[in-house]
Amino acid sequence: DDQVMVEVFAKSMLPPKSISVGGALLRSLVFPGWGNSYAKGGGAYWLMGIAAWGAAGGAFYFNNEAYNALEDYKDATDGETRDQLFTDAEDHHQMQQNLMIAAAAIWAVDLIWTGIQAGNVKRKNRTKLSMGYYYDPMVRKPMVSFTYRLN
C-alpha cells in the first residue's frame, strides 16, 4: 500500500489592480468622467466631461455677449435699439446663468457617481482565491499553493 500525500500552498504573485477613490475623484474634478473611466477601466464616461466643459464654455461665451450688448446699450441713442440691446443683454445673462448651473450640476453628479463607482470597484477587487508557488528546501521540490479567503 503506497500512500500519496499532496499539500498545496498558493500565494498571489500579482496584486489586483488598486483603485484609489481619491485619485478617481481628483480626475473627475479636472475632467468629469475621467474618474469613472479610471475606476471602470474605460467607457464613454468622457462624454460627461464634454458636456460639462461645453456648458462652462457656453456660459463664458454668453457672459461675454451680455457684456458686449450692455456696452452697446450704453452707447446707443435710438430708443428702439436701446430696448433691443437691453433685452439681448438680459437674455444672454440668463443663458449664461443656466449654462453655469448645468455645468455645476454635471460636475456634482459626476463626483458623486465617481465616488460610488470607485468605492464599489475597490471592494470588488479584493480577491478571494489566490495562487502561488515557491521552492521548499525541506523536500527539495517546488510547491504550489492555493488560498481561499472567506470574507
Side-chain angles (χ1 to χ4, degrees):
D1 275 288
D2 289 336
Q3 288 186 342
V4 176
M5 186 174 99
V6 176
E7 186 174 350
V8 180
F9 296 96
K11 184 177 178 183
S12 177
M13 301 304 284
L14 296 174
K17 180 183 172 190
S18 178
I19 299 295
S20 164
V21 176
L25 289 172
L26 186 61
R27 284 172 172 84
S28 279
L29 192 60
V30 172
F31 190 83
W34 186 19
N36 271 324
S37 292
Y38 163 73
K40 296 298 250 177
Y45 300 107
W46 55 270
L47 291 172
M48 289 187 79
I50 298 295
W53 279 106
F60 178 78
Y61 170 79
F62 279 106
N63 183 55
N64 197 26
E65 288 295 307
Y67 175 79
N68 290 339
L70 193 58
E71 290 300 312
D72 291 344
Y73 163 79
K74 291 177 185 177
D75 295 336
T77 55
D78 179 23
E80 189 176 315
T81 305
R82 284 175 58 89
D83 289 345
Q84 183 59 46
L85 288 170
F86 188 78
T87 302
D88 289 347
E90 284 181 327
D91 291 345
H92 292 317
H93 179 70
Q94 185 62 47
M95 183 62 81
Q96 177 258 336
Q97 286 182 330
N98 292 341
L99 287 170
M100 280 309 293
I101 290 169
I106 292 169
W107 245 290
V109 166
D110 183 65
L111 284 170
I112 293 166
W113 188 19
T114 298
I116 292 168
Q117 293 276 36
N120 288 342
V121 168
K122 189 170 185 170
R123 276 190 294 279
K124 188 177 181 182
N125 276 345
R126 294 184 199 151
T127 60
K128 291 187 176 234
L129 180 66
S130 61
M131 179 182 131
Y133 61 91
Y134 65 96
Y135 181 79
D136 189 343
M138 296 286 280
V139 293
R140 292 184 277 175
K141 296 199 180 199
M143 302 296 281
V144 176
S145 62
F146 294 95
T147 304
Y148 183 77
R149 194 169 43 91
L150 298 175
N151 288 348

